[in-house]
Amino acid sequence: MTETAHPDTVLIIDFGSQVTQLIARRVREAGVYSEIVPFQSAAEAFARIRPKAVILSGSPASTIDIGSPRAPNEIFAAGVPVLGICYGEQTMCAQLGGKVEGGHHREFGRAFLEVKQECRLFDGVWPAGTRHQVWMSHGDRVTELPPGFSVVGTSTGAPFAAIADEARRFYAVQFHPEVVHTPDGAKLLSNFVVKIAGLKGDWTMAAYREQAVAAIRAQVGEGRVICALSGGVDSSVAALLIHEAVGDQLTCILVDHGLMRKNEAAEVVEMFRRHYNLPLVAVDASDRFIGALEGEADPERKRKTIGRLFIEVFEEEAKKLGGADFLAQGTLYPDVIESVSFTGGPSVTIKSHHNVGGLPERMNMKLVEPLRELFKDEVRVLGKELGLPESFIGRHPFPGPGLAIRCPGGITRDKLDILREADAIYLDEIRKAGLYDAIWQAFAVLLPVQTVGVMGDGRTYEYVCALRAVTSVDGMTADFYHYDMEFLGRAATRIINEVRGINRVVYDVTSKPPGTIEWE
Ligand code: XMP
C-alpha cells in the first residue's frame, strides 16, 4: 500500500460487495479522498490512516454465519462517524448489540423507502414523510436495533431500512446509496462525508497531483525508475507524473514490436521526447517479434510469444541503462481491488501488467504505481491536468499484443502493412464523421481469407477486411456500433480503393458476449 494517505481520508472497509468501488467513486464526487481496504487488513489500515470517517460496504456473506467478517471494533470506539451499507448495516448492528435474522422476505432490486424521521444523512434531500426509490439486495435483515439507534426509514421488506444514532454519528442503511438506481444516493453519501464528518469537499485532481508527486519523491528518493511506455493513457499519465516528481531519474522504454498502428511509435516518441523532454529509449524490435510470430496461427501462442519477447527486450534495455530500483506501472484502482477472499487466502489480487508481469521480481525492482487509487475516467482528468493532449487522453483502448490479434492466422510483414493501412483509413473516416468519441473501440481486422473480385475489368483475388466497432463501458460487455449504411459504404470503398491487397470489406455485428471485442 502506498503512503499517500490524505489528511482527510474516508476509509471504506470492503466486505466483498460487487459495488464497493462505486462507494469510493461517490465519495470522490463529493470532493473527498477515500481509500478502500479489504476487511482483513481494516484494523491495520484504520490505525495507519487515521480516517475521519468509515464506511462499511455490502457483502455476499451473512452475519449469521459463523466466521463471517466483522469490522474492527476500534472503529466504533474512536469517535469517528460510521456509515454501514447493507451487510455493513447488519454487521454494525450485530457488533453494537442489535440483532440480525435470516429467512425473512428477501428484497432485490427496486424498493421504496418511507422517511420516518428527519436525520442528518437525509439533510436537504429527503424530508420526513416522503417516499423514495432505493436499490436493495439482501436476504437477511436487522430485527432489533442496538442501543442508541432509532429508525429513520422503512421499506416493505426492511423495517430498519435506515437507522441512525445521531449522538455517536453512526448511520446505517439496508439499501445501496452508491448505485445509480438509488437516484439520491450520491447526495446521501455526500451528506455523510461533508455534513456529518465535516470534511471540506475540496479534493481535486490538482490536489491529487501535488500529493502524488510528493509521495513519489518520498518513495523513490535518489533511486532510478524505468517505465514501459506504450502510448496508452495509463502508462502515459504515470510517466508524466513520475517525471514531474523525479525528473531524469525516470527513463521510459518504448518497445516497438512492429505490431503498433500506423505512425504510432513515432507519435509517442515525438510527444514525450519533444514536448515533455522525457528521457525515452525507443527500441525497434519488430524483426525479432515478427520473426518469432511468422507462421504462428494459434492465438494463445501468439500472445505468449509476444509477452515473453516483450519481457526479454525490456529487460535487455533496462540492463543497458544500468538497471533500475523501481518499475513504474499505470495500474488502476479496479486492477488493485479485484476481489476479497473470505477463506483467509490473499485478500487482494493484484493483476500484473500484461506486458511486464514477472519483471520486478526477476530484476529485483520495487513498483511505483501512482494511479493505483484512481479510476480510468479520473486518470483522464489527471492527464488533462498534466497537459496531455486530448488526442492521447481520449484514445480508444489498444491491446498489448497489438495488431497480432487482429490478423488471424499466420502473421507476415506484408499482412501487417495491409492491415495498418486499412485501419488508418477506417479510423480517419470515423473521425471525419465525428463518431470517434461515441464509439468505445474501433479497428480493422485482416482475415486469412482471399476472395474473388473484379476491378477495372480484371479479376482480383485478395484479402477480406472486417471492420469492428463497439460501444461498452468497461470492455467486459459490448454491443456492436450501429452505423448507418452510408458510413460503412464510404469506409469500405476507400479501403478497397486505397489499400492494395484488400478487395472486400465486411462489418462485424457480434456483441460481447458471445463474441469478444478482439478477434483473438
Ligand atoms: P476482449 O477481446 O477480451 O477485449 O473482449 C476486451 C478489451 O481488452 C483489450 N484487450 C487487451 N488489452 N492486453 C491489453 O492490454 C491484452 O492482451 C488484451 N486483450 C484484449 C481489448 O482491446 C478490449 O479493449
Side-chain angles (χ1 to χ4, degrees):
M1 201 40 89
T2 47
E3 300 289 331
T4 54
H6 189 273
D8 286 341
T9 299
V10 172
L11 186 68
I12 299 166
I13 299 181
D14 182 24
F15 292 110
S17 156
Q18 296 292 310
V19 287
T20 304
Q21 288 166 27
L22 286 179
I23 305 175
R25 254 334 307 231
R26 301 291 168 250
V27 171
R28 281 160 204 231
E29 280 167 16
V32 171
Y33 179 78
S34 71
E35 283 195 25
I36 301 178
V37 293
F39 70 89
Q40 294 98 325
S41 47
E44 174 278 318
F46 185 72
R48 174 172 50 85
I49 295 171
R50 280 183 269 136
K52 295 284 169 35
V54 176
I55 300 177
L56 309 176
S57 86
S59 174
S62 166
T63 52
I64 299 158
D65 294 340
I66 295 166
S68 57
R70 293 286 176 269
N73 282 320
E74 49 271 36
I75 66 163
F76 299 114
V80 295
V82 182
L83 171 66
I85 296 174
C86 194
Y87 182 89
E89 174 184 38
Q90 294 163 8
T91 193
M92 202 163 156
C93 286
Q95 291 182 250
L96 294 173
K99 216 165 150 194
V100 180
E101 284 179 14
H104 284 276
H105 173 83
R106 287 144 55 98
E107 239 181 343
F108 291 98
R110 183 178 290 108
F112 288 90
L113 180 116
E114 305 230 1
V115 178
K116 294 290 174 194
Q117 261 188 58
E118 302 273 314
C119 156
R120 286 169 77 197
L121 197 61
F122 303 157
D123 193 29
V125 189
W126 289 349
T130 54
R131 193 166 174 268
H132 304 278
Q133 182 184 312
V134 295
W135 205 253
M136 294 276 192
S137 180
H138 66 107
D140 300 344
R141 71 184 190 196
V142 173
T143 53
E144 205 175 298
L145 289 184
F149 279 84
S150 53
V151 177
V152 291
T154 61
S155 74
T156 319
F160 302 122
I163 59 173
D165 176 344
E166 298 270 12
R168 289 191 287 177
R169 295 187 295 170
F170 291 168
Y171 302 84
V173 290
Q174 185 59 69
F175 61 89
H176 286 271
E178 68 276 32
V179 305
V180 289
H181 294 94
T182 300
D184 294 321
K187 290 184 201 149
L188 303 185
L189 284 164
S190 172
N191 272 356
F192 178 68
V193 295
V194 176
K195 291 189 179 163
I196 295 167
L199 301 176
K200 284 207 236 25
D202 59 357
W203 187 87
T204 59
M205 233 1 119
Y208 183 86
R209 174 184 181 175
E210 268 175 41
Q211 221 180 292
V213 162
I216 294 164
R217 284 193 189 127
Q219 188 193 359
V220 168
E222 300 295 311
R224 287 183 54 83
V225 189
I226 48 171
C227 177
L229 197 63
S230 65
V233 66
D234 303 342
S235 66
S236 298
V237 172
L240 289 183
L241 203 57
I242 296 169
H243 189 240
E244 180 163 304
V246 297
D248 290 356
Q249 283 165 254
L250 168 74
T251 306
C252 289
I253 299 175
L254 178 117
V255 177
D256 180 358
H257 49 21
L259 305 164
M260 291 170 118
R261 286 166 290 194
K262 193 175 175 184
N263 298 332
E264 193 166 20
E267 279 170 19
V268 175
V269 170
E270 158 80 13
M271 161 91 196
F272 285 93
R273 264 197 204 141
R274 295 257 163 82
H275 291 276
Y276 286 98
N277 202 20
L278 192 146
L280 170 62
V281 178
V283 202
D284 180 359
S286 52
D287 284 342
R288 198 150 148 191
F289 279 84
I290 294 165
L293 288 170
E294 209 132 14
E296 181 55 78
D298 180 77
E300 271 316 294
R301 280 206 294 268
K302 277 186 194 172
R303 281 174 173 273
K304 292 214 172 93
T305 303
I306 294 165
R308 175 177 54 78
L309 286 179
F310 190 95
I311 289 184
E312 278 176 26
V313 174
F314 190 82
E315 193 171 14
E316 283 166 23
E317 293 304 315
K319 280 192 178 140
K320 279 189 213 160
L321 293 170
D325 309 287
F326 296 92
L327 178 72
Q329 288 195 164
T331 318
L332 304 189
Y333 209 90
D335 305 332
V336 178
I337 304 282
E338 273 207 301
S339 62
V340 177
S341 152
F342 293 95
T343 55
S347 56
V348 179
T349 312
I350 297 179
K351 209 192 289 171
S352 43
H353 191 286
H354 71 281
N355 279 333
V356 290
L359 255 187
E361 299 80 36
R362 262 168 72 164
M363 292 190 64
N364 198 19
M365 292 183 288
K366 291 182 221 79
L367 287 175
V368 189
E369 297 178 308
L371 311 181
R372 54 182 285 140
E373 286 146 20
L374 301 182
F375 292 84
K376 187 91 174 180
D377 54 338
E378 292 175 311
V379 169
R380 295 207 165 104
V381 177
L382 180 59
K384 227 180 245 176
E385 180 71 36
L386 289 160
L388 202 60
E390 199 54 52
S391 57
F392 268 75
I393 291 172
R395 268 195 181 176
H396 288 174
F398 187 65
L403 300 183
I405 56 173
R406 295 176 179 176
C407 199
I411 286 168
T412 63
R413 244 181 215 284
D414 282 352
K415 279 173 147 182
L416 288 170
D417 287 342
I418 293 173
L419 174 57
R420 235 186 300 271
E421 287 304 318
D423 189 69
I425 292 169
Y426 178 41
L427 286 175
D428 182 50
E429 284 298 320
I430 289 174
R431 284 205 176 86
K432 278 191 188 144
L435 298 174
Y436 191 83
D437 292 338
I439 294 170
W440 197 73
Q441 191 171 12
F443 52 88
V445 180
L446 191 73
L447 304 191
V449 175
Q450 282 162 293
T451 65
V452 175
V454 53
M455 276 181 180
D457 294 330
R459 178 186 191 269
T460 60
Y461 188 58
E462 291 174 347
Y463 288 114
V464 180
C465 171
L467 302 181
R468 182 92 165 122
V470 295
T471 52
S472 178
V473 174
D474 50 15
M476 305 297 286
T477 55
D479 191 10
F480 72 89
Y481 187 76
H482 295 236
Y483 284 120
D484 75 50
M485 286 294 163
E486 293 289 316
F487 171 86
L488 282 173
R490 214 161 47 235
T493 305
R494 258 197 78 191
I495 290 170
I496 294 166
N497 284 349
E498 294 176 35
V499 185
R500 243 167 212 271
I502 293 175
N503 70 354
R504 193 177 294 266
V505 172
V506 297
Y507 186 54
D508 179 357
V509 291
T510 319
S511 60
K512 173 183 178 175
T516 54
I517 295 175
E518 301 291 345
W519 275 45
E520 291 192 331

